[in-house]
C-alpha cells in the first residue's frame, strides 16, 4: 500500500528533504516537530494548507482502505460493497459504497460522510432496490440507528424505516452487533448478538415488518408461563411446572415483580425438578409467589449467518450457539416460518465450532462453512454438506479432493467465511485458507458437488487475493466473481476461471514504489522528487522524477537510467539545473560517487567533474546526505564518507563550482560520524 515519508522544511524557496538515519530507515516526524520546523523557517502552517491532505494531488486508486465484508452484484453491472472501510480510491465512503461496472466509485450514491459510523457486516437489496444494512454502527449520518437501517436506492437514509431503539444488549439501551440479514418474502430477518429489538426481548434473531418495527409474531422467545415461588433469605425457588423446559438449560426470568434489570436466571439440572436456584436476589421479593413469570430462551450464543428456504420460508441459522429455545442445536438450526425450532431438522452433534456461512441447494441440501473440524463427530475441515433433515451428507466429502499419495487432512487448512452454491451445484468458497486437501490455493476455491476440487477455477496471478477473503458474489450472466476481504484494495473482480480483471478499478501503484527522500517545489506547482523508488504511478523512474501540479508523472522530464542508488538530497540551482546527492555510484551509466549535476530536463551535465566521488565508510554505505551552495558557487557536502576523489574528507567536504575538491576548506580529520544537516549563516559561517 506504500509508506508515507514525512519531510521538514528549510524555507519556502529551497529544498524540502528527509534527513536519513544512519541505518537508512524512514524517519517519522511527530506533528509538533514538523510544526516547529515550519515555524523556524518563518512559514505559517496556514500557508501550507493547515495540514489538510490535498485529495486532488495524485489521487490514489487503491480501492477500499479497510476490509470489505459484503459484496452485492446488481442487475445493471454495478455492485455495492459494505465493510470496515471509510474511504474508496481516496474518497470518503463510510462503510458502504456503490461501484460502477469498471470498479470506480459512483459518487452519485449518497452516504459518503453521512454513511454509517461503524462496520456494515451484511446487507440485502429489496425488490424496490432499497438496501437494508446491518452491522456495528450506532448512527447513519446524524440519525441513531442501532445496527439496522434501510437506505434508498441513491444511498440516502430511508427515514420511513423506523427501527426505534434498534438492536440492543441486555440493558435495552446499548447498541448490539447485528451480523446478518435476509429477506423472508418482503420482511427482513436479522441476527447477531443482540438481546432485544425496539425494546422487546429477542435473543439473537428477529423478524421485522416492512416499516422497520418488530414483527411480534416471529419467535416471541417464550417457552412457557410458569408460577414460581421464592424462598426467603436465599436464591432458592420452586417452579409450579417444568412442562416445556429442557434439562441443562439456562432461562431468564421476567415478571411484574422481577424486573428485567435484575437479569435473574436459573439453570435446570440434567433431570428436571421443580427446585431451581436463581442467579441473583436483586429485585426478587423473597418468599413471594410470582404469577405468570415469563421464561425466555431463543439462541444462547451469537447467530452469524441466515439463509431462508425459498420454497417454504423456513429459516436456517448458523453461529456459535449450542441451543435454541432450550433445545440442543450445536451451531446450526432450522426455524419454522414463525421462528420456532424446527424439530424436523436435527443435525445430531452438529459442527464443533462456529458456522460462518450457509448456502442452500435446490434439492434441499445445505452447505455450511466455518471454523469447525468435525460435524456429527465426523471429520469435516471447515466445510460440509447436510441433507434436508440436517444429517451429514456422506456424498460430499473433502477427502474426494485428495490426490494420489496425498496424506494431508482433507478439507481447508483455515477458516471458511463464505460459501456460495451455484446453479450447477458447484460451490464457491472463500476464507483465510491456503490449501484444500493438500492442494495449494489462495483464499478462493471452487468445489465440485462431490467435494472434489474444481480445477477450472485457478486464481491468476496466484496472489491476486493475497489475504483473507470474506465474501464472494457470482454474476449469473457473465460468470464473473466479485471478492471482498482484507486483501489489497479490499475488492476484486475475477473471471469465471479465476483470472484477475485488471480493468476493474485498475490500480495505480501507490505513487512511488519506494522511499521518497527529497522533494523540491518548482515553478508552475510542479514538484521534483528523489529517493529509492524505481516506479512512480507504474511508470519507470529510477529514483528521480518530476510531477505535474496534479501529482501525476511529468513525461517531458525523463532522466534515462539516472542513479543506481538512493537519492537523499536535491539542491536546486539558478537556471533550472540541480544537484543530487545520495548513495549512488553511477548516474545514467557514468561514474558519479554520491554527487551529480543535472540539467533541467533530467539529463546529466557531464561538464561537472564527477571523478570517484565519496569513499567507503567501515560498516556503512557511503552517501551524501546534505548539500549547501555558497553565494560564490562553491558546494559543501555532508554525509557518510571518509574520502572524496581520493582525498581525505571526514564526512564533510567543499567543492569548487565545477566539482573539484576545494583544498582551501581544511576541516582536518572532520567529523567522526555522519553529517546529516548543513546550514549557511548570513556571515558565511557553516552550521
Amino acid at each position: 500500500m506504500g509508506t508515507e515519508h514525512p519531510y521538514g522544511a528549510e524555507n519556502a524557496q529551497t529544498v524540502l528533504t528527509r534527513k536519513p538515519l544512519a541505518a537508512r530507515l524512514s524517519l517519522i516526524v511527530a506533528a509538533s516537530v514538523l510544526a516547529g520546523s515550519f515555524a523556524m523557517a518563518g512559514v505559517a502552517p496556514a500557508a501550507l494548507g493547515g495540514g489538510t491532505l490535498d485529495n486532488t494531488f495524485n489521487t490514489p486508486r487503491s480501492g477500499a482502505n479497510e476490509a470489505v465484508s459484503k459484496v452485492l452484484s446488481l442487475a445493471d453491472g454495478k455492485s455495492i460493497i459494505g465493510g470496515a472501510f471509510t474511504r474508496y480510491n481516496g474518497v470518503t465512503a463510510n462503510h458502504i459504497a456503490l461501484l460502477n461496472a469498471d470498479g470506480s466509485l459512483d459518487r452519485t450514491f449518497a452516504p459518503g460522510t453521512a454513511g454509517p459510523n461503524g462496520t456494515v457486516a451484511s446487507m440485502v437489496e429489496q425488490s424496490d432496490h432499497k438496501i437494508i444494512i446491518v452491522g456495528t454502527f450506532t448512527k447513519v449520518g446524524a440519525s441513531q440507528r442501532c445496527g439496522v437501517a434501510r437506505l434508498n436506492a441513491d444511498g440516502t437514509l430511508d427515514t420511513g424505516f423506523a427501527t426505534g431503539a434498534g438492536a440492543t444488549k441486555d440493558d435495552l439501551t446499548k447498541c448490539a452487533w447485528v451480523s446478518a440479514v435476509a429477506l423472508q418474502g418482503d420482511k427482513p430477518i436479522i441476527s447477531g448478538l443482540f438481546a432485544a429489538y425496539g425494546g422487546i426481548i429477542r435473543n439473537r434473531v428477529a423478524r421485522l415488518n416492512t416499516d422497520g418495527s418488530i414483527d411480534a409474531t416471529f419467535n416471541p422467545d417464550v417457552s412457557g408461563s410458569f408460577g414460581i415461588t421464592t424462598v426467603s433469605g436465599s436464591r432458592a425457588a420452586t417452579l409450579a411446572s417444568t412442562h416445556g423446559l429442557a434439562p441443562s438449560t439456562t432461562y431468564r426470568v421476567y415478571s411484574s415483580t422481577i424486573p428485567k434489570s435484575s437479569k435473574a436466571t436459573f439453570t435446570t439440572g440434567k433431570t428436571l425438578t421443580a427446585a431451581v436456584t436463581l442467579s441473583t436476589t436483586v429485585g426478587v421479593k423473597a418468599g413471594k409467589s410470582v404469577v405468570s413469570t415469563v421464561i425466555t430462551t431463543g439462541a444462547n450464543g451469537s447467530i452469524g449467518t441466515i439463509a431462508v428456504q425459498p420454497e417454504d420460508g423456513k429459516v436456517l441459522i448458523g453461529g456459535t450457539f449450542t441451543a435454541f429455545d432450550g433445545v440442543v442445536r450445536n451451531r446450526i438450526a432450522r426455524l419454522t416460518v414463525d421462528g420456532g425450532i424446527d424439530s424436523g431438522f436435527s443435525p445430531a452433534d452438529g459442527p464443533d465450532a462456529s458456522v460462518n456461512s450457509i448456502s442452500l441447494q435446490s434439492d434441499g441440501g445445505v452447505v455450511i462453512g466455518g471454523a469447525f473440524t468435525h460435524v456429527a463427530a465426523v471429520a469435516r475441515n471447515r466445510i460440509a454438506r447436510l441433507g434436508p433433515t440436517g444429517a451429514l451428507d456422506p456424498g460430499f466429502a473433502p477427502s474426494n479432493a485428495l490426490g494420489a499419495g496425498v496424506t494431508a487432512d482433507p478439507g481447508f487448512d483455515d477458516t471458511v467465511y463464505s460459501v456460495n452454491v451455484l446453479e450447477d451445484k458447484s460451490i464457491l468458497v472463500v476464507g483465510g485458507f491456503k490449501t484444500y486437501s493438500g492442494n495449494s490455493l489462495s483464499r478462493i476455491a471452487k468445489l465440485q458437488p462431490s467435494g472434489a476440487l474444481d480445477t477450472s477455477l485457478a486464481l491468476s496471478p496466484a496472489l491476486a487475493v493475497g489475504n483473507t477473503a470474506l465474501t464472494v458474489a457470482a454474476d449469473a450472466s457473465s460468470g464473473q466473481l466479485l471478492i471482498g476481504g482484507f486483501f489489497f484494495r479490499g475488492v476484486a473482480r475475477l473471471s469465471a476461471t479465476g483470472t484477475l480483471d485488471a480493468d476493474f478499478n485498475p490500480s495505480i501503484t501507490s505513487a512511488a514504489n519506494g522511499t521518497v527522500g527529497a522533494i523540491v517545489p518548482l515553478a508552475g506547482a510542479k514538484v521534483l522528487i528523489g529517493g529509492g523508488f524505481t516506479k512512480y504511478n507504474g511508470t519507470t523512474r529510477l529514483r528521480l522524477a518530476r510531477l505535474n501540479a496534479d501529482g501525476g508523472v511529468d513525461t517531458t522530464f525523463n532522466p534515462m537510467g539516472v542513479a543506481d542508488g538512493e537519492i537523499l538530497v536535491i539542491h536546486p540551482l539558478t537556471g533550472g539545473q540541480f544537484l543530487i546527492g545520495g548513495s549512488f555510484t553511477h548516474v545514467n551509466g557514468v561514474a558519479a560517487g554520491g554527487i551529480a549535476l543535472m540539467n533541467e530536463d533530467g539529463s546529466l551535465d557531464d561538464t561537472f567533474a564527477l571523478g570517484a566521488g565519496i569513499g567507503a565508510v567501515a560498516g556503512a554505505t557511503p552517501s551524501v546526505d546534505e548539500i549547501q551552495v555558497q553565494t560564490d558557487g562553491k558546494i559543501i557536502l555532508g554525509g557518510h564518507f571518509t574520502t572524496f576523489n581520493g582525498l581525505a574528507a571526514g564526512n564533510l567536504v567543499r567543492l569548487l563550482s565545477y566539482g573539484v575538491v576545494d583544498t582551501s576548506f581544511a576541516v582536518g580529520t572532520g567529523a567522526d560520524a555522519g553529517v546529516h544537516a548543513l546550514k549557511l549563516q548570513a556571515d558565511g559561517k557553516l552550521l
Side-chain angles (χ1 to χ4, degrees), residues 511-565:
N513 69 342
T515 59
V516 175
I519 304 175
V520 176
L522 304 174
K526 292 189 176 186
V527 181
L528 191 63
I529 63 171
F533 56 87
T534 58
K535 287 181 180 290
Y536 190 91
N537 284 355
T539 301
T540 298
R541 286 293 185 269
L542 300 179
R543 303 170 186 88
L544 184 66
R546 190 167 69 198
L547 311 182
N548 293 315
D550 65 357
V553 175
D554 181 354
T555 56
T556 66
F557 177 91
N558 189 9
M560 301 302 294
V562 201
D564 62 354

Side-chain angles (χ1 to χ4, degrees), residues 91-106:
V91 179
T92 298
N94 280 331
H95 308 290
I96 188 167
L98 177 65
L99 308 185
N100 294 311
D102 64 357
S104 61
L105 183 67
D106 185 338

